[in-house]
Structures are given as structure tokens and as C-alpha cells.
Amino acid sequence: MNKTRLNFAVDALIAVAFLISALTGVVFLFAGSGGYQGGQNPAFQTSILGVSRWLWSDLHTWASLIMITGVLLHVVLHWTWIVCVVRRMVQDWNKRRTQQREACPVIAES
């Protein structure tokens, strides 16, 4: 598999995992608290859209873990590019700083 296809596959995996994680997060946002709460929660162990709360939780957890793994792999695949961009930014910053010093010299205190 060439690098372009690998990047696409990793990015697609991250996108799908994000969508699943976001969807399950929104479901939990509107479903309310799911804890036992000492028997005071009437919604405990209910299903949401026909799916048990435990399955929603597992989907959310696994999608999030897959997304984290995908992002780490994405960073590894783009590490050389990241280093080059950061290096260029630091060089540009140093160049601007030097130019500012030359344009506005510091007056020595007497």
C-alpha cells in the first residue's frame, strides 16, 4: 500500500471513529444520567433508540480509542512534515526577531 492510500485509510478511520464517538456523545447528552444513584434513577438500565445504554457506552469508548490510535498513527505518518514546518516557523520567527532588533536598536542605559 502506498503512502497516499495509507494516509487516506487512516484519515477515513479517524473520521468514522469521530462520527461514532460524536453521535454516541450526543445520545448521552440528551439521554441524561445513566448511573444507578442508589435506586433513585428511574431511567437506569433503559434503552436509548432501542439500544441498551451499555452498548452505547461501549460504542463510545471503542470509537474514541480507535480515534486516538488513528490520530497517533496520523502524527507518526506525518512526523517529517511536522518537524519541517516547525523548523521553518522557528527560523522565520528568529529572522523576524533579528530584523526587529536591527530596525529598532536598544539604547544602552548610562
Side-chain angles (χ1 to χ4, degrees):
M1 179 180 282
N2 66 17
K3 191 168 181 176
T4 302
R5 288 181 188 215
L6 180 60
N7 282 329
F8 180 79
V10 169
D11 291 349
L13 178 73
I14 293 169
V16 170
F18 170 78
L19 290 173
I20 293 170
S21 183
L23 173 71
T24 56
V26 169
V27 166
F28 283 129
L29 177 69
F30 290 111
S33 175
Y36 179 65
Q37 300 174 358
Q40 300 298 317
N41 186 2
F44 182 68
Q45 291 187 341
T46 59
S47 64
I48 305 160
L49 301 173
V51 179
S52 74
R53 180 177 290 277
W54 304 113
L55 182 57
W56 284 111
S57 178
D58 287 346
L59 278 171
H60 186 74
T61 300
W62 282 105
S64 299
L65 289 172
I66 290 168
M67 183 172 49
I68 291 167
T69 304
V71 168
L72 290 174
L73 182 58
H74 181 86
V75 169
V76 168
L77 290 172
H78 291 84
W79 186 250
T80 305
W81 179 84
I82 293 168
V83 169
C84 289
V85 168
V86 170
R87 185 177 293 139
R88 182 176 297 151
M89 289 172 60
V90 169
Q91 288 171 349
D92 289 348
W93 181 75
N94 284 333
K95 183 191 274 185
R96 277 194 308 257
R97 205 172 87 189
T98 303
Q99 289 172 349
Q100 287 174 349
R101 284 183 186 165
E102 291 171 356
C104 183
V106 177
I107 300 172
E109 294 181 26
S110 46

